[in-house]
């Protein structure tokens, strides 16, 4: 589970990071360079403004930052830890032979996606939350009425217990066909 | 048995044609005798002078008549196939068509004692192949294709090279082993033969895989490979052919050949791209002549094919690129009806082409010019299978390291086993310069094609079920799936942005931005807005449901597209509504002529930006609505405006003079909130309207049903 500790020419402490995830030194170095690039004021930690600046073109950029990088300041180990959620799954498991500790390892991919919608963390996606996401993504392309009907339809499709909101199980069910495990992996941490 | 009835019909037609074919060959007698005239056949009333009451002139119409007869034969065979009980479940259509061709060829041979007409390579490459490839390219699942493009190219280029060299060299080895009968086949001939026999054929693959419904990734891998390997095949074939004509081959020639491969592939790509963009631009201006809009799609695609054939580029690549490029812009620019036209024409033409190809394959098998050699034929068959299997295994082992979703062993087996050969090999082998063993090559090619189509084609379906290969999920795409997919896409490209990683999502995002900023603005008319994929799925679902009542059981439809499954509880309501809409359509469709269509178009755009189906009829339906302006019905209309159906039934609402505060969806500025209540209450209003809407939906359906009975 623990990779050999490697020394890098930066100020990160290999132990703190390597104890969390297993990753090669080259990747960590690259991530650290990126971290330093994003950290415009060179304070050693990222604020949400820095991250939002990086995601300025993304329609749900603010939402991503809010969902994942919640702390006020994000230091490098936390940065890596959060990004570790997006590692490819197979490699993770087969290499170790043992499932990484879920507390520090990958979260279930559906819950990663669920976090994006559910901003008030009440465990359900209400109609307003869905509408907000739709509005951010579709923007000026549609009328308000169309947005409402799309949201209405989406809820009708997924909402099985008729409470006009999508709870986590219903969400996971509607994601069955979307191959989420495979989709939710970025090949940068291997 | 139901299968038998078309046969007498077919046979009689063919016999008629045969007789008609043979008759002009009879020597003409000199002076016209009673009943016969030089060049006229059949009895005629004998009158003094040259007047005839009844005469028959076959020469005049011979060529088109025969062509139509062949097409008729092929189509009737197809019809018969689909009506013949359990046969479609066991035998793929291509097999039956080849058998019909064999039968007809045999009959013709028996009657005329000479070979029946064969499929000329020109006719095949210029007329029969383009519609099929165009249809395939137009309906290519774009996103899936581009996601797997690396793997597809890997299989297409390297896989084909591996197969060609492997089969060619091994066949040469076999020829060396049997010098007495095969000694005069040189290495270059073997390589040439390898190049034409190794290529997987898109027509055969399409026709067999369509009936199988394997998972989309597997389908796109096999199918994409069969489309893209055309470039490699063309290059290698022409290369070896020109080598055969050269006195000697140097290393430089091989290098030139390699460069040629790149030129052919990229050349085809760019030719297709150019014509696709021009077609998109042209479609922008077709709003006033909507009837011929589909024609531009066909003309430009065909032109791209011909141009790249003229320049000796890969025609298939050109036409596929053209179709993929122009599709989104044409779909946005052109009216709904024209879109439907394009799709139906494409399906029809490609269907006819494919049927003709297989029938002719069967007919052309009956030849005088066969030459058989057991070692050659058997070793070719064996080597084709072996080399393809090893090629797929090796290549997949390498490419799986780079892919996100690995290609499983079962999928690999299907990829290897699904490498069917078809009419392209057949035409190419006829084009070889004549040499002593050409007939052997022709026979072997025919045997390989028949083997792959019959044996592999028939057994692949049971094998897929036996191996439990992942199948395609048949359900309708839902809006929530689309929404979640998009959110995930944005999430992943966001993460890639944060990490600074130029991955797949980054490039896809970059292309979307480029598309939005430059291409769409240039190529799509002003009044057609850009639509997100979520909106497209949503509107497609709506349109399908509305049309669900209109389209009676679909006619013989070989292309995929099973009936969508609708959720049970909404099913009846939607059917009632669409049936009623259909009745509205029938009652109130004004007759229209070609020349007045554009006036309808302008009425449409003034009224709506929704791309729903019976928009033309909203004007006429408004006559009904004011009568319903009492009490609960008007509320129901207002309430229903929130719902999906609103833009069809209630599109009349902007034209009504009464409640102006009700929803005025599309005629106005999109950013204007159509909701008169302040935004703060928005959260409550949809919630508390939902039960009202559901109740009013049922009321409305009863209203409409009652109307139809009046």
């Amino acid at each position: 589970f623990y990779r050999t500790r490697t020394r890098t020419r930066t100020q990160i402490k290999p132990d703190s990071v390597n104890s969390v995830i297993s990753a090669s030194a080259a990747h960590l170095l690259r991530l650290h360079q990126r971290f330093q690039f994003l950290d415009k004021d060179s304070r050693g930690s990222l604020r949400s403004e820095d991250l939002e600046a990086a995601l300025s073109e993304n329609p749900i950029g603010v939402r991503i930052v809010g969902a994942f990088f919640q702390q006020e300041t994000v230091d490098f180990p936390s940065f890596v830890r959060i990004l570790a959620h997006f590692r490819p799954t197979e490699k993770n498991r087969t290499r170790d032979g043992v499932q990484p500790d879920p507390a520090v390892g990958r979260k279930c991919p559906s819950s990663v996606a669920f976090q994006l919608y559910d901003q008030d963390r009440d465990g359900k996606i209400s109609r307003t939350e869905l509408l907000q996401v739709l509005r951010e993504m579709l923007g000026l392309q549609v009328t308000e009425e169309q947005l409402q009907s799309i949201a209405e339809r989406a809820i009708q499709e997924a909402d099985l217990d008729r409470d006009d909101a999508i709870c986590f199980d219903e969400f996971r069910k509607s994601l069955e066909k979307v191959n989420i495990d495979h989709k939710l992996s970025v090949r940068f941490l291997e | 048995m139901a299968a038998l009835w078309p046969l007498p019909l077919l046979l009689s037609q063919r016999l008629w044609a045969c007789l008609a074919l043979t008759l002009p060959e009879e020597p003409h007698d000199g002076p016209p005798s009673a009943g016969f005239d030089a060049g006229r056949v059949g009895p005629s009333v004998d009158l003094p002078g040259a007047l005839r009451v009844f005469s028959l002139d076959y020469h005049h119409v011979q060529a088109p008549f025969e062509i139509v007869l062949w097409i008729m034969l092929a189509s009737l065979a197809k019809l018969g196939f689909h009506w013949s009980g359990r046969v479609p479940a066991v035998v793929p259509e291509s097999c039956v068509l080849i058998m019909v061709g064999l039968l007809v060829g045999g009959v013709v041979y028996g009657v005329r004692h000479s070979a029946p007409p064969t499929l000329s390579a020109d006719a095949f490459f210029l007329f029969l192949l383009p519609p099929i490839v165009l249809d395939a390219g137009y309906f290519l699942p774009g996103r899936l294709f581009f996601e797997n493009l690396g793997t597809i190219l890997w299989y297409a280029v390297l896989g084909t090279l591996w197969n060609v060299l492997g089969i060619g060299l091994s066949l040469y080895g076999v020829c060396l082993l049997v010098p007495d009968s095969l000694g005069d086949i040189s290495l270059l001939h073997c390589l040439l033969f390898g190049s034409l026999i190794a290529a997987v054929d898109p027509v055969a693959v399409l026709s067999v895989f369509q009936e199988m419904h394997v998972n989309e990734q597997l389908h796109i891998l096999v199918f994409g490979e069969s489309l893209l390997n055309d470039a490699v095949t063309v290059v290698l074939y022409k290369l070896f052919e020109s080598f055969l004509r050269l006195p000697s081959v140097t290393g430089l020639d091989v290098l030139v050949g390699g460069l040629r491969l790149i030129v052919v592939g990229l050349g085809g790509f760019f030719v297709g791209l150019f014509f696709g963009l021009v077609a998109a631009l042209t479609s922008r201006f077709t709003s006033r002549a909507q009837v011929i809009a589909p024609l531009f799609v066909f003309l430009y695609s065909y032109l791209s094919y011909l141009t790249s054939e003229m320049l000796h580029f890969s025609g298939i690549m050109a036409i596929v690129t053209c179709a993929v490029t122009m599709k989104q812009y044409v779909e946005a620019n052109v009216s709904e009806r024209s879109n439907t036209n394009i799709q139906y024409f494409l399906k029809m033409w490609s269907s006819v082409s494919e049927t003709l190809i297989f029938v002719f394959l069967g007919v052309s098998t009956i030849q005088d010019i066969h030459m058989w050699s057991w070692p050659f034929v058997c070793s070719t068959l064996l080597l084709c299978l072996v080399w393809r299997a090893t090629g797929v295994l090796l290549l997949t082992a390498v490419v799986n390291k780079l892919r996100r979703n690995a290609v499983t062993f079962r999928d690999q087996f299907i990829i290897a086993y699904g490498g069917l050969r078809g009419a392209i090999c057949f035409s190419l082998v006829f084009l070889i310069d004549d040499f002593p063993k050409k007939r052997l090559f022709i026979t072997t090619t025919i045997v390989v094609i028949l083997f792959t189509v019959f044996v592999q084609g028939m057994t692949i379906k049971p094998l897929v079920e036996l191996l439990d290969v992942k199948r395609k999920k048949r359900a309708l795409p839902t809006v929530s799936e689309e929404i979640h997919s998009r959110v995930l896409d944005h999430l992943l490209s966001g993460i890639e942005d944060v990490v600074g990683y130029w991955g797949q999502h980054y490039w896809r995002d970059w292309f979307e931005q480029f598309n939005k900023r430059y291409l769409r603005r240039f190529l799509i008319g002003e009044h057609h807005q850009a639509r997100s994929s979520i909106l497209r799925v949503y509107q497609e679902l709506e349109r399908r449901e509305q049309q669900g009542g209109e389209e009676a059981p679909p006619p013989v439809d070989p292309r995929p597209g099973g009936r969508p499954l609708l959720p049970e509880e909404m099913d009846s309501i939607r059917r009632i509504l669409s049936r009623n809409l259909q009745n509205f359509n029938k009652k109130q469709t004004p007759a229209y002529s070609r020349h007045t269509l554009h006036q309808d178009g302008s009425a449409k755009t003034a009224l709506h930006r929704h791309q729903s189906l019976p928009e033309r009829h909203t004007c006429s339906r408004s006559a009904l609505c004011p009568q319903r302006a009492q009490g609960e019905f008007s509320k129901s209309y207002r309430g229903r405006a929130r719902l999906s159906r609103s833009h069809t039934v209630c599109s009349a609402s902007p034209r009504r003079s009464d409640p102006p505060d009700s929803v005025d969806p599309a005629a106005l500025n999109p950013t204007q909130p159509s909701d008169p209540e302040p935004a703060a209450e928005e959260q409550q209003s949809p919630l508390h309207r939902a039960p009202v809407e559901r109740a009013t939906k049922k009321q409305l359906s009863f209203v409409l049903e009652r109307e139809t009975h009046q």
Side-chain angles (χ1 to χ4, degrees):
Chain A
F1 184 72
Y2 292 93
R3 281 277 174 128
T4 55
R5 302 196 182 161
T6 55
R7 241 172 311 151
T8 62
R9 276 178 276 110
T10 60
Q11 290 126 14
I12 52 170
K13 300 193 200 51
D15 320 4
S16 62
V17 180
N18 267 337
S19 64
V20 172
I21 56 162
S22 55
S24 70
H27 286 291
L28 278 179
L29 183 57
R30 227 176 100 213
L31 272 181
H32 188 75
Q33 284 170 346
R34 182 72 187 169
F35 183 80
Q36 284 174 326
F37 174 75
L38 287 173
D39 185 11
K40 300 280 191 277
D41 307 338
S42 305
R43 284 175 308 132
S45 62
L46 293 178
R47 293 170 304 152
S48 35
E49 288 87 19
D50 300 323
L51 289 165
E52 281 171 22
L55 292 176
S56 53
E57 292 222 340
N58 201 312
I60 53 172
V62 176
R63 188 173 281 266
I64 294 176
V65 173
F68 295 109
F69 300 94
Q70 291 141 4
Q71 306 134 292
E72 263 306 307
T73 60
V74 179
D75 60 348
F76 186 62
S78 331
F79 184 67
V80 177
R81 199 179 302 134
I82 294 172
L83 289 177
H85 290 145
F86 298 98
R87 276 175 305 166
T89 19
E90 261 77 27
K91 306 277 166 76
N92 195 12
R93 291 207 193 111
T94 53
R95 185 178 293 159
D96 304 322
V98 106
Q99 286 253 6
D101 188 358
V104 296
R106 282 189 102 224
K107 281 198 248 179
C108 158
S110 324
S111 61
V112 164
F114 196 74
Q115 262 180 296
L116 275 182
Y117 289 95
D118 190 20
Q119 287 200 311
D120 54 2
R121 311 242 170 274
D122 61 352
K124 284 179 190 258
I125 306 176
S126 67
R127 191 184 294 251
T128 38
E129 287 170 340
L130 190 60
L131 266 176
Q132 278 166 7
V133 174
L134 278 176
R135 214 170 275 132
E136 283 167 18
M137 284 204 296
L138 294 177
L140 297 175
Q141 293 175 27
V142 293
T143 63
E144 190 57 39
E145 186 225 43
Q146 274 180 317
L147 269 184
Q148 299 275 359
S149 3
I150 292 176
E152 163 82 31
R153 197 196 171 108
I155 291 193
Q156 274 174 354
E157 283 167 354
D159 191 16
L160 301 167
D161 52 3
R162 305 253 146 260
D163 60 352
D164 229 19
I166 305 179
C167 72
F168 184 57
D169 286 321
E170 291 164 353
F171 180 73
R172 223 183 359 195
K173 195 153 188 305
S174 72
L175 278 185
E176 269 167 2
K177 295 188 215 126
V178 176
N179 202 348
I180 192 170
D181 260 336
H182 287 299
K183 272 176 108 57
L184 211 56
S185 55
V186 180
R187 304 179 75 92
F188 61 93
L189 274 181
E190 304 177 343
Chain B
M1 244 181 13
L4 290 179
W5 69 262
L7 278 183
L9 204 58
L10 300 175
L11 283 177
S12 60
Q13 275 195 337
R14 284 314 306 150
L15 280 174
W16 165 255
C18 294
L19 290 170
L21 279 173
T22 53
L23 280 166
E25 294 172 28
E26 284 177 2
H28 299 304
D29 295 322
S33 49
F36 277 90
D37 196 5
R40 284 171 204 264
V41 173
S44 52
V45 174
D46 197 17
L47 291 174
L51 267 184
R52 306 227 179 270
V53 174
F54 170 78
S55 59
L56 190 75
D57 185 5
Y58 183 65
H59 263 311
H60 189 54
V61 298
Q62 180 175 357
F65 200 89
E66 286 181 5
I67 293 177
V68 168
L69 274 185
W70 278 112
I71 300 182
M72 184 76 82
L73 165 76
S75 313
L76 283 174
K78 202 170 160 89
L79 264 188
F81 168 72
H82 282 277
W83 272 94
S84 63
R86 289 200 43 233
V87 176
V90 175
V91 179
E93 197 177 291
S94 40
C95 298
V96 171
L97 290 171
I98 293 185
M99 285 195 285
V100 168
L102 279 172
L103 194 66
V104 171
V107 165
V108 172
Y109 188 77
V111 168
R112 291 174 52 179
H113 295 291
S114 66
T118 61
L119 184 63
S120 84
D122 269 349
F124 172 71
F125 279 115
L126 291 181
F127 299 117
L128 289 179
L129 187 60
I132 300 179
V133 186
L134 176 60
D135 175 46
Y138 200 79
F139 292 104
L140 200 64
R143 191 188 154 120
L144 207 57
F145 183 71
F146 284 111
E147 274 178 18
N148 289 304
L149 189 62
T151 317
I152 291 178
L153 278 174
W154 186 254
Y155 281 133
V157 178
L158 285 181
T160 313
L161 272 174
W162 168 272
N163 278 332
V164 167
L165 292 174
I167 294 179
L169 293 172
S170 334
L171 266 183
Y172 186 59
V174 167
C175 293
L176 287 179
L177 283 177
V178 190
D180 33 344
S181 60
L182 302 173
D184 52 347
I185 303 182
S186 68
L187 176 63
L188 274 178
H189 280 125
C190 286
L191 283 173
L192 180 66
F193 185 67
S195 74
L196 63 92
I197 202 85
V200 177
D201 187 78
V203 179
V205 164
L206 248 187
S207 78
V208 164
F209 268 72
Q210 252 166 30
E211 303 166 8
M212 279 203 308
H213 300 294
V214 291
N215 65 69
E216 289 136 344
Q217 180 181 285
L218 180 56
H219 186 252
I220 200 70
L221 283 178
V222 182
F223 181 58
E225 181 203 343
S226 68
L227 277 182
L228 292 186
N229 70 14
D230 177 64
V232 183
T233 311
V234 159
V235 165
L236 287 176
Y237 180 81
K238 297 226 164 88
L239 197 68
F240 290 130
E241 220 184 12
S242 46
F243 282 175
L244 272 174
R245 296 194 193 126
L246 289 176
S248 67
V249 180
T250 65
L252 186 64
D253 294 320
V254 178
L255 190 63
V256 168
L259 277 180
R260 187 125 180 79
L261 171 65
I262 303 179
V263 165
V264 160
L266 287 181
F269 176 76
F270 283 117
V271 166
L273 197 65
F274 170 73
F275 277 102
L277 290 175
V278 174
L281 188 60
T282 313
S283 68
R284 181 179 164 176
F285 302 107
T286 56
S287 49
R288 300 204 188 173
Q290 284 176 8
V291 199
I292 61 171
L295 193 60
F296 284 114
V297 170
F298 308 133
L299 287 180
Y300 276 111
S301 322
Y302 195 42
L303 210 55
S304 73
Y305 182 79
L306 292 175
T307 311
S308 87
E309 285 289 314
M310 173 178 81
L311 298 169
H312 288 297
F313 292 152
S314 164
I316 291 188
M317 281 214 59
I319 211 174
V320 168
T321 316
C322 183
V324 168
T325 312
M326 72 173 152
K327 181 177 178 188
Q328 49 168 324
Y329 309 110
V330 163
E331 269 186 350
N333 273 332
V334 138
S335 72
E336 188 74 35
R337 202 179 297 118
S338 296
N339 262 327
T340 317
N341 272 344
I342 293 177
Q343 290 169 14
Y344 273 104
F345 264 105
L346 280 177
K347 295 286 186 212
M348 186 188 75
W349 267 330
S350 63
S351 195
V352 167
S353 263
E354 184 186 324
T355 319
L356 270 178
I357 288 178
F358 283 119
V359 167
F360 266 113
L361 261 182
V363 170
S364 313
T365 311
I366 314 288
Q367 295 268 352
D368 278 337
I369 59 174
H370 288 300
M371 183 196 292
W372 185 266
S373 151
W374 278 106
F376 193 78
V377 173
C378 294
S379 54
T380 309
L381 268 179
L382 194 65
L383 288 171
C384 281
L385 288 171
V386 165
W387 281 103
R388 178 145 178 97
T390 52
V392 167
L393 271 173
L394 278 177
L395 289 175
T396 317
V398 174
V399 92
N400 265 345
K401 298 207 189 340
L402 304 170
R403 278 176 62 88
R404 260 197 313 214
N405 321 351
V407 183
T408 65
F409 275 115
R410 291 182 191 150
D411 285 353
Q412 285 175 42
F413 178 76
I414 298 295
I415 292 177
Y417 200 67
L420 303 177
R421 274 67 170 177
I424 293 188
C425 323
F426 186 71
S427 309
L428 284 177
V429 84
F430 269 101
L431 288 176
I432 303 182
D433 295 337
D434 216 1
F435 76 104
K437 284 291 192 306
K438 180 172 171 182
R439 291 161 50 186
L440 175 61
F441 280 5
I442 294 179
T443 311
T444 318
T445 312
I446 292 181
V447 170
V448 170
I449 295 177
L450 289 181
F451 180 83
T452 55
V453 171
F454 276 90
V455 174
Q456 285 178 245
M458 276 204 267
T459 54
I460 200 169
K461 206 165 170 187
L463 272 175
V464 159
E465 284 169 21
L466 194 72
L467 291 177
D468 199 21
V469 172
K470 218 167 96 172
R471 310 295 281 270
K472 181 159 90 167
K473 303 156 207 133
R474 289 191 188 226
L476 204 60
T478 59
V479 175
S480 34
E481 259 174 46
E482 190 63 30
I483 296 179
H484 299 322
S485 295
R486 286 294 301 273
V487 166
L488 285 176
D489 284 341
H490 284 306
L491 172 63
L492 283 172
S493 49
I495 298 292
E496 281 184 3
D497 278 338
V498 167
V499 175
Y501 174 71
W502 285 9
Q504 196 182 43
H505 300 275
Y506 176 81
W507 287 114
R508 199 194 52 238
D509 242 20
W510 177 88
F511 177 71
E512 284 297 327
Q513 293 294 328
F514 176 71
N515 198 11
K516 206 187 302 183
R517 262 191 228 137
Y518 303 109
L519 292 179
R520 293 189 81 107
R521 243 193 254 162
F522 186 53
L523 296 173
I524 298 187
E526 303 82 24
H527 53 281
H528 299 284
Q529 56 170 338
R531 290 185 299 165
S532 144
S533 65
I534 297 178
L535 199 52
R536 266 183 272 142
V537 167
Y538 171 72
Q539 285 170 349
E540 174 68 27
L541 283 175
E542 292 300 309
R543 192 178 62 81
R544 260 196 231 171
E545 282 150 15
Q546 288 166 28
Q547 278 179 334
E550 270 187 3
E551 285 173 324
V556 172
D557 185 21
R559 305 291 160 175
R563 305 283 293 163
L565 307 163
L566 300 174
E568 266 306 299
E569 50 187 343
M570 318 247 191
D571 211 14
S572 49
I573 295 179
R574 288 204 175 109
R575 281 228 191 91
I576 293 172
L577 279 175
S578 54
R579 223 186 13 239
N580 289 315
L581 286 174
Q582 175 193 2
N583 291 335
F584 284 168
N585 292 352
K586 283 202 180 126
K587 269 192 269 182
Q588 285 143 24
T589 307
Y592 63 90
S593 75
R594 289 203 308 264
H595 308 287
T596 56
L597 260 187
H598 66 276
Q599 289 159 12
D600 284 331
S602 50
K604 176 175 82 170
T605 53
L607 193 57
H608 255 308
R609 266 185 292 106
H610 299 270
Q611 305 265 357
S612 62
L613 176 64
E615 293 160 79
R616 279 200 316 116
H617 312 297
T618 55
C619 325
S620 34
R621 228 183 291 128
S622 66
L624 286 176
C625 292
Q627 299 158 16
R628 301 264 166 238
Q630 321 104 348
E632 56 181 37
F633 290 143
S634 66
K635 191 165 68 157
S636 77
Y637 276 118
R638 210 182 308 141
R640 280 189 45 70
R642 289 268 172 267
L643 269 191
S644 47
R645 296 262 153 240
S646 59
H647 55 266
T648 56
V649 178
C650 254
S651 49
S653 56
R655 302 185 127 246
R656 276 190 299 158
S657 47
D658 358 16
D661 62 327
S662 76
V663 178
D664 274 318
L668 311 173
N669 196 321
T671 54
Q672 220 183 56
S674 49
D675 201 346
E677 299 147 33
E681 285 172 39
E682 216 174 15
Q683 297 147 22
Q684 291 173 14
S685 54
L687 278 179
H688 104 97
R689 271 198 202 179
V692 176
E693 291 159 10
R694 287 191 186 128
T696 55
K697 236 201 283 195
K698 290 203 162 36
Q699 285 176 341
L700 188 61
S701 63
F702 289 132
V703 168
L704 292 176
E705 268 210 310
R706 246 179 287 140
E707 276 178 11
T708 61
H709 294 313
Q710 285 163 6

